[in-house]
Amino acid sequence: MSADTPDAAADEVPSRAELAARVDELEDALDAATGGDDTRKVSIIATKGTLDMAYPPLILASTAAAFGYEVTVFHTFWGLDILHEERSKDLKLSSVGNPNVPVPNAVAALPGMDRVTTKMMERRIADNDTASVEELVETSLEMGVEFQACQMTIDLLDYDEGDFYDGVTTGVGAATALRDMADADIQLLV
């Protein structure tokens, strides 16, 4: 078979240098197609506004930001209380139906028990030098976490947008949150 036939071209094996050059070429094309952005993204949805449920999205968001992730936290319904400057300082811990509260439900339902269990949790937070909700929100904002407040919930529950921490993005709808989740490498519902 002569070297000019199509079968001869198939028998030629590219050199390592040619393969390395081709890999570099493909990586450059991928960078161009993706804008060269290799930042990993985390999208968190926060739906609850009790003291014990404020911590998970805030800790996850600030930790992800510390590891270099681009982080968005979409707050909806009672999760908006976490972003509200005054309400975030007075979040309660629900005693009834909470399996981690050290009292039976019959006792937890008594008047004033939410106040007692909230004080117990606040004492535990202070004794362990755990950051407050306010500190975690402010630290997260400083680290570049984008906190989004659901516009439908703002309207439905009659929140005043001026009462949120400075830096909170308002006017965000579910479509934006879904698009953000679709683009994220990690999606969490808390």
Side-chain angles (χ1 to χ4, degrees):
M1 222 182 255
S2 78
D4 296 333
T5 64
D7 289 332
D11 291 337
E12 291 180 27
V13 176
S15 69
R16 285 182 186 225
E18 291 171 325
L19 288 174
R22 181 65 179 141
V23 167
D24 289 341
E25 181 183 311
L26 291 171
E27 285 176 345
D28 290 343
L30 180 61
D31 279 346
T34 61
D37 185 13
D38 59 353
T39 302
R40 295 187 42 112
K41 298 178 183 178
V42 175
S43 177
I44 302 170
I45 309 297
T47 63
K48 296 173 179 63
T50 58
L51 181 59
D52 56 330
M53 291 307 295
Y55 278 87
L58 295 174
I59 291 169
L60 290 166
S62 60
T63 302
F67 280 111
Y69 285 84
E70 180 182 312
V71 183
T72 303
V73 186
F74 180 75
H75 293 259
T76 188
F77 281 83
W78 310 123
L80 284 180
D81 284 350
I82 299 168
L83 301 179
H84 191 279
E85 271 193 273
E86 291 307 313
R87 292 181 185 178
S88 68
K89 295 172 187 169
D90 194 32
L91 298 177
K92 305 288 185 239
L93 179 68
S94 179
S95 303
V96 177
N98 189 334
N100 295 312
V101 172
V103 295
N105 277 337
V107 175
L110 293 173
M113 282 307 294
D114 283 352
R115 186 174 36 234
V116 170
T117 55
T118 298
K119 290 297 178 196
M120 288 171 48
M121 185 63 167
E122 288 172 342
R123 189 175 322 115
R124 185 171 248 176
I125 289 167
D127 289 348
N128 285 293
D129 289 326
T130 301
S132 69
V133 170
E134 177 183 19
E135 291 169 330
L136 284 171
V137 168
E138 290 174 353
T139 298
S140 295
L141 285 166
E142 289 170 9
M143 295 173 77
V145 171
E146 181 180 0
F147 288 120
Q148 300 175 338
C150 174
Q151 188 62 48
M152 184 206 71
T153 306
I154 290 171
D155 296 339
L156 179 69
L157 300 179
D158 201 27
Y159 283 84
D160 182 345
E161 293 179 20
D163 291 337
F164 293 121
Y165 287 94
D166 289 338
V168 170
T169 304
T170 59
V172 180
T176 301
L178 287 171
R179 186 173 50 247
D180 184 67
M181 287 173 36
D183 292 340
D185 299 291
I186 300 171
Q187 306 89 9
L188 303 168
L189 173 65
V190 181

